[in-house]
Amino acid sequence: MNELLLGLLTFFTSTIAGVVGIGGGMMLIAILPAFLPLNALIPVHGLTQMSSNFSRAVFGYKDVQYETIPKFLIGSIAGIALFASILSMISLEYVPLFIGVYILLSLWSQKFNDKIKKYENYYLVGFLQTGLSIVVGATGPLTMTLLLKDYKDKDKVVATGAALMSITHILKVFVFMYFGFVFFDYIGIIVAMIIGAVAGSYAGTKLRDKIDGKKFLMLLKVLLTILAIKVIIGVFL
């Protein structure tokens, strides 16, 4: 019964991510504690999100901006290697706060964007997003914030974001396997969620065509803003 319910919930969250490019993963990680023990939460979520993002990138392969991938991949490998090796030594309590503030300033402050432009690139975003993803749930908006500045076409933003997030989740899954997490213990739930994730990606890709480009970009900015505020509030609660 849990498998069926989680499959349907994953379909719903993956459809939202397929339309807007973000938000589905954060909704899903908020739901999962009701179904999974804490030690399984991030590994199972990571594997499901890998399926959701990879399938979304495949369905939108014509719109993926492939020039971003090598830079992001190099940054991601460096990030995950560093954060996995020092995980037990660092306090990450306030990292979500900095991520949330960065997203808000990036979206709404032209002065901030003018100053940060020379430092902001896919190597750095890959390093931070993938490295921090093994401990912080809200790293996806980092990529989407940068893509939103570089590309104005909604399909390019969503498909490329999905391709880059796939890299983050694939590397994260390998880290959890290295640390000994046994995915097979949750095979029924994982299969149901992967089916829901892929079906949701397909549905979301089809529904995205129905949204006007300008409305889409404003919707994405509003959703990113809500997620950033939620992350900031979460640090203090």
Side-chain angles (χ1 to χ4, degrees), residues 149-164:
K149 294 174 189 174
D150 288 349
Y151 306 103
K152 296 304 171 198
D153 180 272
K154 66 179 187 287
D155 293 312
K156 286 179 182 175
V157 171
V158 175
T160 308
L164 300 182

Side-chain angles (χ1 to χ4, degrees), residues 65-215:
Q65 302 306 292
Y66 293 96
E67 70 273 8
T68 63
I69 291 175
K71 303 169 195 173
F72 186 87
L73 179 60
I74 291 165
S76 292
I77 291 168
I80 205 128
L82 177 68
F83 281 93
S85 62
I86 62 170
L87 197 53
S88 58
M89 296 181 266
I90 50 175
S91 170
L92 297 158
E93 192 182 349
Y94 292 104
V95 168
L97 176 64
F98 294 118
I99 290 175
V101 170
Y102 163 78
I103 290 164
L104 289 177
L105 288 171
S106 278
L107 289 172
W108 304 107
S109 170
Q110 192 53 50
K111 272 187 187 174
F112 176 79
N113 284 323
D114 291 341
K115 284 181 181 171
I116 206 169
K117 204 171 275 180
K118 53 187 165 195
Y119 307 108
E120 201 175 41
N121 58 64
Y122 290 98
Y123 296 106
L124 182 60
V125 169
F127 178 84
L128 292 172
Q129 175 170 300
T130 304
L132 290 170
S133 73
I134 52 178
V135 281
V136 181
T139 58
L142 287 172
T143 301
M144 296 304 283
T145 306
L146 183 55
L147 288 169
L148 206 52
K149 294 174 189 174
D150 288 349
Y151 306 103
K152 296 304 171 198
D153 180 272
K154 66 179 187 287
D155 293 312
K156 286 179 182 175
V157 171
V158 175
T160 308
L164 300 182
M165 279 301 291
S166 299
I167 293 169
T168 290
H169 288 298
I170 287 165
L171 291 173
K172 187 162 71 173
V173 166
F174 278 126
V175 166
F176 283 114
M177 287 169 72
Y178 174 77
F179 282 123
F181 183 80
V182 184
F183 284 95
F184 197 77
D185 288 351
Y186 299 90
I187 191 68
I189 282 171
I190 286 169
V191 169
M193 289 176 74
I194 286 173
I195 292 168
V198 174
S201 288
Y202 181 77
T205 302
K206 293 294 179 190
L207 288 170
R208 199 187 317 134
D209 295 338
K210 311 281 187 283
I211 299 177
D212 171 74
K214 282 183 181 173
K215 284 180 185 167

